[in-house]
Amino acid sequence: MEKSVYQRNIKNVGAVRVSLQNLNQFKSIRLKVNDLESQWSLETFIDLKAGKSKLDTTIQLQGGWYSFDFEFLDEIEVKASEKIDHVGVGEVFLIAGQSNAQMEGPAPVDDRVVAALFDGGREGRPNFISLNTTEYKRWVWPSPPGTSFLGSLGDSLVSRLKVPVLFFNAAAGGTSTGDWWTSAVYNEPPYFYVDYMLHKFTFDLGLRGVLWMQGESNSVNPGYNATSEIYRDEVFYMVQKMRDTLDFQQLSWVISLTSWNKAGADPEAGIDPNPWELRKPTRDGQMLLVESDPDIFLGPDTDILEGLANSTLRSDGTHFTQEGFVLAGVLWNRALSDDYFTQSVPYTGKFFKSQEIENHKRDQKVVFKDWNLPLNCNWTALPKASEIDLPVSFSLTKDSPAEIVGDSIRLSGLEGIVGLVFGNNGNEEFNRLQDTLFYEVPKLIGTPIKISEPTDYVEGEVISLEAQCDAGQVFWRDSEGFETVNTSVDLIYLQQTQIFVFCRKESCVSTTGESFKLEGSECLNEEQNQFSREEYVVLDQMFKKIETLDKSDIIDLILKNNLQKKIYLHQSIDQKITLSFNRCKTE
């Protein structure tokens, strides 16, 4: 059907049902599927057996927005054609609850936000429309008006997930969990509409999950006496019934924290029909639901959208204004996080496999031999494909710590996961190809762990600074960036007696590391029995070489008071620097 949306699986693939009738006079069918976003297309032929009048099949497509062009042929000539302008593979949700989930809310902007139009429909089934359509009143089947927060949420999901979204809405105003439980037991409204949707649509289209926003009725009715346990049990009865109907025990529910009902509140008279003690059992019951099952997820806390009658967010103290519905959609979008789409398992429908479409195109084989992502910061050639028929292009997944220019790739120096996407656009002989290689980039800069840091120098004492790294090799350097490294020959340029220690593997970014300020005692009369701490400064710029790791180099230094000093600097091992001072002459 036009603008139907099929639930994708965790690999971003959905099975679109194709149902064909009155085929007796045709020998074959040419089907062309067009991706409306990328202009990619797939063309395939279906060979019809003699006397075949009906055909049910599925075609698997990645998440997206497509058109389907059918041409019906006899031996060679096209005898009839039909086109479906929009078919989606994306996300399908059912909304349930009470009036705030049922009322009319603002329309979305994106035409990929789709719902079922409440107008009787075709053969007793509603048609699908974009919720931004102005031709119809925006009523969402089976519970009009039903747009509620869906315009705001739909735009956010489509923008974020890059796939169309279909909403069904079975919410019913004024209903308690007891009403829903009773209707589920006897299959009466409002649960009857849920059951009807499951049988008429969900087996074909699939379903990501149920968004439950209810609680206002429970929290304002002390006579109902719905404890938190009763709330949990009455809703969970519906959860289990839906799962049994679909024969799918992982169907997800998302439960909002909803209890705000201040209709009739008179703050001047001190009247509050919905105090916290009445609301708390409802909210506790909603939390018990989330805690009772791994496939029941915590939704938004809609109670934070507070307001009394004629307020910005609540028109009468309970029901949302148009602005309130927009913010409710924002909260739902946050609740349906990336973690939800990763952890929830979608129901993808009962695939019709009476005859799978035969695709006469071939899949291209691409093999990358002996290539791994180089863990350095140099430009490196992208892998060369073997057994290649079509040119393969490369790109990176979002947030990959790397960049590609031309046929080369290099790391940015940050840790993370590099997703190297490769593929081609296909042609008349080969199917479109797209796949991703994932490489883990380890932490390139380790953290220095100080082992010792002396605070004072005593005359004649040898001072050692030691460090180790949780990753990489220990390096010591001065404030100008000149390093003492674990090599037989290297330059030391010590301009200040402030030395840094840091850890490094191959990396494209720098670090200042941990700083050790080297301060020594000034030579004074021993009778004073005290030391004043002065920084050492360089007498002149000197370059020295360390011939071996255990050989000391001497750099002449002078104190601020012009008393001569010498500092001995060498690396005995790669984690240690030793500094020794000549004994000061006393006056």
Side-chain angles (χ1 to χ4, degrees), residues 6-9 14-15 58 198 201-208 246 248 346-353:
Y6 293 81
Q7 177 62 51
R8 60 180 180 165
N9 63 15
T58 59
L198 296 181
F201 291 100
T202 308
F203 287 135
D204 284 355
L205 301 178
L207 184 66
R208 169 62 74 168
L246 297 175
F248 183 70
Y347 174 74
T348 50
K350 294 183 176 179
F351 298 164
F352 290 80
K353 296 184 178 179

Side-chain angles (χ1 to χ4, degrees), residues 253-315:
W253 278 57
V254 186
I255 310 296
S256 69
L257 296 177
T258 298
S259 67
W260 186 272
N261 190 343
K262 301 292 184 178
D266 186 351
E268 294 184 0
I271 298 174
D272 185 355
N274 190 217
W276 174 252
E277 57 267 23
L278 287 182
R279 295 166 50 201
K280 188 175 186 300
T282 298
R283 290 173 62 92
D284 288 348
Q286 290 156 354
M287 286 303 303
L288 287 178
L289 264 173
V290 175
E291 295 164 0
S292 67
D293 188 284
D295 295 304
I296 299 180
F297 297 84
L298 179 62
D301 186 346
T302 63
D303 285 354
I304 68 174
L305 304 177
E306 298 181 351
L308 301 180
N310 301 315
S311 61
T312 302
L313 302 180
R314 305 268 184 169
S315 60

Side-chain angles (χ1 to χ4, degrees), residues 69-254:
D69 291 299
F70 295 90
E71 291 181 339
F72 302 89
L73 299 87
D74 55 12
E75 297 296 339
I76 57 172
E77 186 178 356
V78 176
K79 292 295 185 181
S81 63
E82 186 172 344
K83 182 175 183 179
I84 308 296
D85 292 318
H86 303 89
V87 176
V89 174
E91 298 293 340
V92 183
F93 288 99
L94 168 66
I95 316 303
Q98 58 182 111
S99 54
N100 267 327
Q102 182 193 19
M103 296 171 63
E104 183 170 359
V109 175
D110 201 302
D111 63 2
R112 291 171 294 176
V113 182
V114 180
L117 172 66
F118 189 81
D119 68 347
R122 184 176 70 182
E123 299 176 358
R125 293 163 54 133
N127 296 314
F128 297 108
I129 61 165
S130 296
L131 274 182
N132 64 358
T133 303
T134 57
E135 181 179 353
Y136 304 103
K137 181 176 176 63
R138 296 187 297 276
W139 283 11
V140 181
W141 185 90
S143 186
T147 46
S148 181
F149 56 85
L150 303 184
S152 172
L153 172 61
D155 274 340
S156 296
L157 290 179
V158 168
S159 175
R160 207 175 95 215
L161 304 176
K162 310 302 182 187
V163 295
V165 177
L166 168 62
F167 293 114
F168 293 95
N169 195 332
T175 52
S176 67
T177 54
D179 298 327
W180 278 94
W181 174 78
T182 302
S183 71
V185 171
Y186 296 104
N187 203 26
E188 298 172 344
Y191 186 82
F192 167 79
Y193 295 113
V194 173
D195 188 70
Y196 186 78
M197 186 212 73
L198 296 181
H199 286 87
K200 292 293 184 180
F201 291 100
T202 308
F203 287 135
D204 284 355
L205 301 178
L207 184 66
R208 169 62 74 168
V210 179
L211 309 185
W212 175 258
M213 191 167 79
Q214 186 279 341
E216 297 94 332
S217 292
N218 287 54
S219 71
V220 79
N221 187 352
Y224 176 43
N225 195 29
T227 65
S228 57
E229 291 77 14
I230 290 175
Y231 191 104
R232 174 197 61 199
D233 295 343
E234 287 176 338
V235 176
F236 193 78
Y237 181 86
M238 292 185 292
V239 174
Q240 193 57 53
K241 186 168 184 177
M242 286 187 66
R243 291 174 173 176
D244 291 344
T245 299
L246 297 175
D247 191 22
F248 183 70
Q249 296 303 311
Q250 292 178 286
L251 180 67
S252 71
W253 278 57
V254 186

Side-chain angles (χ1 to χ4, degrees), residues 12 373 382 393-404 409-412 415-423 434-441:
N12 192 35
L373 186 70
L382 287 162
S393 60
F394 292 91
S395 61
L396 295 169
T397 56
K398 184 180 179 182
D399 298 328
S400 289
E403 61 177 323
I404 289 177
I409 184 173
R410 73 172 177 182
L411 298 182
S412 64
E415 62 181 316
I417 301 295
V418 172
L420 185 60
V421 183
F422 65 93
Q434 182 169 310
D435 205 347
T436 305
L437 300 173
F438 291 99
Y439 299 92
E440 182 176 2
V441 180

